[in-house]
Amino acid sequence: MAWMAWTWPTAIFFIIIACVLTVFTVLAIKYPETPRKGVLRIETTRGDRLFITLLGSAFINLAWLGVIGANQPFALLVCLVYAAAVFRWV
C-alpha cells in the first residue's frame, strides 16, 4: 500500500465515519423513523441528513483550503454548525 499515505489523522477520520454509520444503523433499527420535510421541501431521513452533512462538510473544507489555507480546526467548527443546522432544519 505504498501508493497511499496512510497517516493517523486519515485513519482516525475513516474510523469515525465507520462509527457514525454504525450508530446510525443501530438507531434506524432500534428507533424506526418516518421521513420529514424541512426547508428543502423534500422528505429526508436521518441517513439523508447525514449524507447531506458529510457532502456539505467536504465542500466547506475544500473551500476553506482554497480561500484561507491550512488552518483546518476553524473549518471543523464551521462544519459542526452546518451539521447542527442540517439536522435541525433540513
Side-chain angles (χ1 to χ4, degrees):
M1 286 219 195
W3 62 272
M4 188 168 195
W6 283 100
T7 62
W8 277 110
T10 304
I12 291 169
F13 171 78
F14 284 108
I15 289 168
I16 289 172
I17 295 296
C19 290
V20 168
L21 289 173
T22 303
V23 167
F24 272 67
T25 301
V26 169
L27 284 173
I29 293 168
K30 191 165 180 141
Y31 304 107
E33 63 178 324
T34 57
R36 69 175 195 201
K37 285 187 179 182
V39 296
L40 295 178
R41 298 291 178 222
I42 58 172
E43 290 186 346
T44 59
T45 62
R46 279 188 296 255
D48 297 330
R49 292 187 291 277
L50 176 65
F51 178 75
I52 292 168
T53 299
L54 291 174
L55 191 62
S57 294
F59 285 116
I60 289 169
N61 277 285
L62 286 173
W64 192 278
L65 280 172
V67 174
I68 295 174
N71 201 0
Q72 290 302 107
F74 295 111
L76 175 62
L77 294 175
V78 174
C79 290
L80 291 174
V81 170
Y82 171 72
V86 167
F87 275 91
R88 174 69 175 103
W89 291 303
V90 172

